[in-house]
Amino acid sequence: MKIFIILLSLALLFLSGCSVQKRVVSVDKKELPAWFVSQPKTTSNILYATGEGKNREEAIKDALSLMSSTLSVYIASKFDSKKVENMGIINNYQQTIRSEIGSSVKKIRISNYELLKSQEFSFNRHIVLIKSDKKILFESLKKELEQKFMSIEKRQENLAGQNILKQFRVCKDAKNSLINIPNTIIVMSVLDKNFDSSDYIEKLQSVNSDYDKLESNITFSIETNEEAKDLEPVIRSGLSKKRLQILAQKEDLNTHLRVIINSKIEKAKAYGFVLARSAISIVIKDYKGIIIGSNKLNIIGQSTQGYADAKEHVAEKLNAMVKKDGIEKVIGLSF
């Protein structure tokens, strides 16, 4: 009887399950807007690009990246047919730009653009359409170029009376800030056929020339006390690797710097080792005797062979510090 009741219950459950119709939920697939699928084509005057991201900011960044790629194709196609100013560094730069023009143009920051369309298409997906007027882009690049050179000129005006290293740092910063200027000039020359780049090229060459001149004129001499003599070759080697000139004796020129190294060593023994506890003082002075850099180091050398080897171990440790941290940090001077 129990078996009959169980079988009847199962049969009823089966029949009730069959009588329930499954619901079919229809979801309309959202289609991308036409402006995103078929974006406007770039013209001789206007650049267009679409982009997408988790939010509008990321979508715009993606679109700007695509726009840079579009611009690089445009510049590459026009480059050979456009006579770019052949002067100095630009003339040399042209020799390699054909193979690198894509990455070169992408270094140009497109800061002037217009957001035409913006839409939150789905969860965590935003799409945009932007445009940039080539003429306005040219003017924005020109403005940035002029601001850079104006900033450099102001900094150079304040260098009178500064020590040679301060002058060198300013020139080095100026040179580094202009590293992408050849890219900018080439792009501008293609965007505007009437653009005269000669003035900017002369300024660029002047900055590079000032840097090269200072780098070649800076000299160092190294002075040590008796206990620091083993350290002199380490410091000399570190400076030489920075392409800096080392003189055998002190110079009274305003381009000369003195590196003064003093070491006080205490001899000790511990656990079968001979120790050389070295307190090292490094001071850098300009030609007026003004301290412009310094550092203090405590290095312990050890050896089982004797005191001379322990002192040599101090020099080895100093050399390892120069390799790891750089000569600038070790002597307390920034180039």
Side-chain angles (χ1 to χ4, degrees), residues 2-20:
K2 288 182 179 179
I3 296 174
F4 174 76
I5 292 172
I6 292 172
L7 291 174
L8 181 61
S9 299
L10 289 172
L12 289 172
L13 285 171
F14 175 76
L15 291 171
S16 63
C18 292
S19 64
V20 178

Side-chain angles (χ1 to χ4, degrees), residues 229-271:
K229 284 189 178 298
D230 291 343
L231 308 180
E232 190 269 346
V234 176
I235 302 302
R236 175 184 293 273
S237 175
L239 291 170
S240 297
K241 287 178 181 178
K242 298 289 291 186
R243 296 172 56 193
L244 298 168
Q245 297 184 65
I246 312 297
L247 300 180
Q249 58 187 11
K250 173 185 170 183
E251 292 280 341
D252 292 325
L253 302 173
N254 61 2
T255 57
H256 186 73
L257 301 173
R258 297 164 57 206
V259 181
I260 304 167
I261 310 170
N262 287 303
S263 179
K264 183 178 180 181
I265 303 177
E266 291 183 358
K267 183 179 177 181
K269 290 184 178 181
Y271 304 104

Side-chain angles (χ1 to χ4, degrees), residues 82-83 138 188-196:
K82 169 76 173 68
K83 182 181 178 182
F138 171 84
M188 292 171 67
S189 297
V190 174
L191 289 175
D192 185 348
K193 63 182 180 180
N194 296 317
F195 172 56
D196 183 4

Side-chain angles (χ1 to χ4, degrees), residues 10 39 46 52 55 60 77 83 86 94 97 150 172 174 197 199 204 240-241 257 261 263 271-272 288 292 314 327:
L10 289 172
Q39 72 175 53
I46 305 293
E52 58 181 298
N55 50 50
I60 291 175
S77 65
K83 182 181 178 182
N86 287 325
Q94 280 183 277
I97 196 171
M150 188 178 297
K172 183 179 179 180
S197 61
D199 184 46
L204 178 60
S240 297
K241 287 178 181 178
L257 301 173
I261 310 170
S263 179
Y271 304 104
K288 292 181 180 179
I292 61 173
V314 172
I327 187 65

Side-chain angles (χ1 to χ4, degrees), residues 137-191:
L137 174 59
F138 171 84
E139 292 299 331
S140 68
L141 292 175
K142 184 178 180 181
K143 184 178 179 181
E144 288 179 13
L145 206 59
E146 291 174 347
Q147 286 175 340
K148 277 190 176 183
F149 282 116
M150 188 178 297
S151 175
I152 289 171
E153 288 172 3
K154 285 183 178 179
R155 278 180 287 172
Q156 289 178 335
E157 287 173 1
N158 298 324
L159 285 179
Q162 298 286 348
N163 66 65
I164 187 64
L165 211 57
K166 175 67 174 178
Q167 296 178 42
F168 180 71
R169 288 194 201 106
V170 170
C171 286
K172 183 179 179 180
D173 290 342
K175 180 180 179 179
N176 290 339
S177 71
L178 299 177
I179 194 169
N180 287 324
I181 293 304
N183 302 326
T184 303
I185 291 176
I186 288 172
V187 171
M188 292 171 67
S189 297
V190 174
L191 289 175

